Amino acid sequence: CPGHDSVMIGDKVLLTLAVVASECPSTAQLHTILANALEVHRNMVKDVFCEVGEEVMLPKDDALLAGQPKARALTLGGDLVVNATEAPDVLLRVAQLPDSTTAIGYRFAAAMRGVLDYMGVAEQVHKPVHMPDQVIGLHKACRGDTARPLGNSSGTNCPTIMSDGSICEARCSSGATANGSFMCLSGKVRLKSVCPGHGVVMMGDKVLFTLGVVASECPSPAQLRAIFANAMEVDTEAVDGVFCEAGEEVPLSEDDARLAGQPTARVLTIGGEFNAPSDDAQDWLPRAAQLPDKTTPVGSRFVAAMWQ
């Protein structure tokens, strides 16, 4: 329902497959499998799921291949965020997922078998569905009173509720214009706004980023700063304003729980700012966008450092 938060509307293609397999892949694995099979960006794949159904007896040859006489009937699927003009093509490509004689179906089956002990037949539960005018993003508003001005100020000109992407600044007692601004980004007021005084203020460009991560706990600010610097291959002095906020507890898949040594983990919101030279800022944006994608060098270094 409409409120202070900003809602993004767009088109989606919904898919649901019935698969006989040994177990469900993890959410992260399924996300990657669908993106790679369809050859789309990971950001297009949303709300993946896998539900375990009844046990089914396997044919003799499949039982030998699986190393067990039974498997599970799985229902898995997800949503693809698409442009309206792309939807017809995406519908055709999604329809090929269960058909291993096609390039898309072959990639899907090979990727599933790469992470599972066994995968057998797959079929569409329903034809892929194109749904226009759906929610494809939600940007949280911010509390303007959390902005903390620096220098000789009389407060800020920030509204009580700041919409995502909105900017405000310190209100200087002298009437001077403040240096820098505050920005509402994903429910958190970011950056600094400073009123002129006796100190020297350095101005420059920043690249802001925010990630959602499932992990056992938050790294310390010093660790997080080093992790981002290492992943981006920049000096630690270029990393500023790091934060990590722990959210709700979530159950882990059986394999992830075994790896973590515990059945649950936390949803973390982490982020920071890169002090980017003005000439390099546009180059740093796509590099920062690679942080959650472990198939890229930046993402691989980020994941490896978080594991340590």
Side-chain angles (χ1 to χ4, degrees), residues 231 287 290-305:
R287 287 167 61 196
Q290 294 175 17
L291 281 166
D293 185 356
K294 64 181 180 182
T295 65
T296 66
V298 172
S300 177
R301 289 191 293 269
F302 171 70
V303 171

Side-chain angles (χ1 to χ4, degrees), residues 13-93:
V13 169
L14 282 65
L15 65 102
T16 311
L17 303 178
V19 178
V20 176
S22 52
E23 72 262 53
C24 274
S26 70
T27 300
Q29 288 171 334
L30 186 54
H31 197 131
T32 300
I33 287 168
L34 291 174
N36 290 346
L38 293 164
E39 293 186 327
V40 298
H41 195 281
R42 285 177 55 87
N43 289 346
M44 285 180 61
V45 184
K46 303 288 185 182
D47 299 327
V48 298
F49 64 89
C50 182
E51 299 170 351
V52 179
E54 63 182 359
E55 272 191 330
V56 294
M57 296 298 297
L58 296 177
K60 186 176 180 180
D61 289 346
D62 284 0
L64 288 173
L65 184 64
Q68 56 192 37
K70 298 178 182 180
R72 290 283 185 178
L74 309 180
T75 303
L76 57 85
D79 310 339
L80 297 172
V81 177
V82 299
N83 294 327
T85 54
E86 298 173 335
D89 176 61
V90 173
L91 285 167
L92 292 174
R93 290 159 65 193

Side-chain angles (χ1 to χ4, degrees), residues 211-237:
L211 305 176
V213 178
V214 176
S216 53
E217 73 247 74
C218 277
S220 70
Q223 289 172 328
L224 198 52
R225 195 177 182 196
I227 287 168
F228 287 134
N230 175 69
M232 290 283 288
E233 293 185 326
V234 298
D235 193 278
T236 53
E237 295 300 315

Side-chain angles (χ1 to χ4, degrees), residues 7 9 21 37 101 112 127 133 145 174 183-185 201 212 216 219 239 273:
V7 177
I9 299 296
T101 66
M112 287 283 283
K127 290 183 178 180
D133 302 323
D145 59 4
S174 64
M183 182 179 188
C184 173
L185 195 61
V201 177
S216 53
V239 185
E273 307 153 13

Side-chain angles (χ1 to χ4, degrees), residues 23-296:
E23 72 262 53
C24 274
S26 70
T27 300
Q29 288 171 334
L30 186 54
H31 197 131
T32 300
I33 287 168
L34 291 174
N36 290 346
L38 293 164
E39 293 186 327
V40 298
H41 195 281
R42 285 177 55 87
N43 289 346
M44 285 180 61
V45 184
K46 303 288 185 182
D47 299 327
V48 298
F49 64 89
C50 182
E51 299 170 351
V52 179
E54 63 182 359
E55 272 191 330
V56 294
M57 296 298 297
L58 296 177
K60 186 176 180 180
D61 289 346
D62 284 0
L64 288 173
L65 184 64
Q68 56 192 37
K70 298 178 182 180
R72 290 283 185 178
L74 309 180
T75 303
L76 57 85
D79 310 339
L80 297 172
V81 177
V82 299
N83 294 327
T85 54
E86 298 173 335
D89 176 61
V90 173
L91 285 167
L92 292 174
R93 290 159 65 193
V94 170
Q96 296 176 26
L97 279 168
D99 184 356
S100 60
T101 66
T102 66
I104 289 172
Y106 177 81
R107 288 192 296 267
F108 173 71
M112 287 283 283
R113 288 171 180 143
V115 298
L116 304 179
D117 292 334
Y118 169 79
M119 176 193 156
V121 296
E123 59 184 24
Q124 298 277 4
V125 174
H126 57 75
K127 290 183 178 180
V129 177
H130 173 213
M131 291 291 291
D133 302 323
Q134 299 302 305
V135 175
I136 61 172
L138 180 66
H139 298 301
K140 294 182 179 179
C142 302
R143 286 181 51 192
D145 59 4
T146 62
R148 296 289 180 262
L150 301 174
N152 186 17
S153 75
S154 58
T156 73
N157 62 4
C158 303
T160 303
I161 300 296
M162 295 178 65
S163 60
D164 188 79
S166 63
I167 293 172
C168 59
E169 59 189 25
R171 184 182 292 114
C172 299
S173 301
S174 64
T177 301
N179 296 297
S181 55
F182 301 109
M183 182 179 188
C184 173
L185 195 61
S186 297
K188 186 177 180 67
V189 175
R190 309 277 288 274
L191 302 176
K192 299 180 180 72
S193 186
V194 185
C195 288
H198 299 296
V200 177
V201 177
M202 296 179 64
M203 302 294 289
D205 291 19
K206 285 184 178 275
V207 171
L208 282 66
F209 59 94
T210 311
L211 305 176
V213 178
V214 176
S216 53
E217 73 247 74
C218 277
S220 70
Q223 289 172 328
L224 198 52
R225 195 177 182 196
I227 287 168
F228 287 134
N230 175 69
M232 290 283 288
E233 293 185 326
V234 298
D235 193 278
T236 53
E237 295 300 315
V239 185
D240 193 18
V242 297
F243 64 91
C244 181
E245 299 170 349
E248 64 179 351
E249 197 173 38
V250 293
L252 297 176
S253 68
E254 186 175 335
D255 288 344
D256 286 350
R258 190 181 305 114
L259 187 63
Q262 57 191 47
T264 61
R266 290 281 180 183
V267 176
L268 309 180
T269 303
I270 63 177
E273 307 153 13
F274 294 124
N275 298 323
S278 56
D279 293 341
D280 296 338
Q282 291 305 312
D283 175 58
W284 287 34
L285 283 168
R287 287 167 61 196
Q290 294 175 17
L291 281 166
D293 185 356
K294 64 181 180 182
T295 65
T296 66

